[in-house]
């Protein structure tokens, strides 16, 4: 659903991954193995603002306490999109992007 052309499906699936991966190593691993990291990094460049906060939140929770996901997200270039999103005037986008950067850069 992360790859759906429907913005609502992208938003809802990002929210779901954000929630199920919070402090859950097995789900973090399964999300990585299913290709969710690549899809989420792609969503960080979305023009649909309603997708950005949940995608950044999911990246944050996927990187938290998971060195394998952190390395993969760095390799995929998540930090460049997150640096851009930190400048967002939308508080949830700004906050989630900042939290994700903290997990990636200074775990």
């Amino acid at each position: 659903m992360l790859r759906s052309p429907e913005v609502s499906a992208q938003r809802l699936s990002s929210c779901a991954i954000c929630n199920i991966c919070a402090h859950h190593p097995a789900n973090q691993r399964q999300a990585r193995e299913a290709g969710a990291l690549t899809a989420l990094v792609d969503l960080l460049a979305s023009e649909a603002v309603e997708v950005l906060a949940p995608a950044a939140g999911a990246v944050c929770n996927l990187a938290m306490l998971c060195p394998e996901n952190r390395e993969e997200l760095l390799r995929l270039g998540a930090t460049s999109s997150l640096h851009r999103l930190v400048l967002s005037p939308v508080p949830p986008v700004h906050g989630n992007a900042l939290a994700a950067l903290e997990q990636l850069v200074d775990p």
Side-chain angles (χ1 to χ4, degrees), residues 1-105:
M1 291 182 52
L2 289 170
R3 297 268 184 214
S4 171
E6 299 295 324
V7 171
S8 61
Q10 295 170 356
R11 181 181 59 79
L12 291 171
S13 58
S14 294
C15 287
I17 289 172
C18 181
N19 291 330
I20 65 171
C21 290
H23 307 288
H24 200 289
N27 287 349
Q28 290 173 323
R29 185 188 76 252
Q30 288 178 350
R32 180 181 63 252
E33 291 171 354
L37 278 65
T38 302
L40 286 164
V41 170
D42 291 345
L43 287 178
L44 293 176
S46 176
E47 293 182 16
V49 71
E50 62 266 37
V51 171
L52 299 175
V59 167
C60 178
N61 285 349
L62 283 162
M64 191 178 296
L65 304 174
C66 187
E68 298 86 2
N69 283 358
R70 191 175 314 116
E71 290 172 19
E72 180 67 10
L73 288 162
L74 289 169
R75 188 187 69 74
L76 292 168
T79 55
S80 62
S81 291
L82 291 168
H83 279 292
R84 181 181 53 78
L85 295 178
V86 166
L87 302 175
S88 173
V90 180
V93 175
H94 167 82
N96 286 358
L98 186 59
L101 275 172
E102 289 173 350
Q103 289 302 316
L104 290 172
V105 177

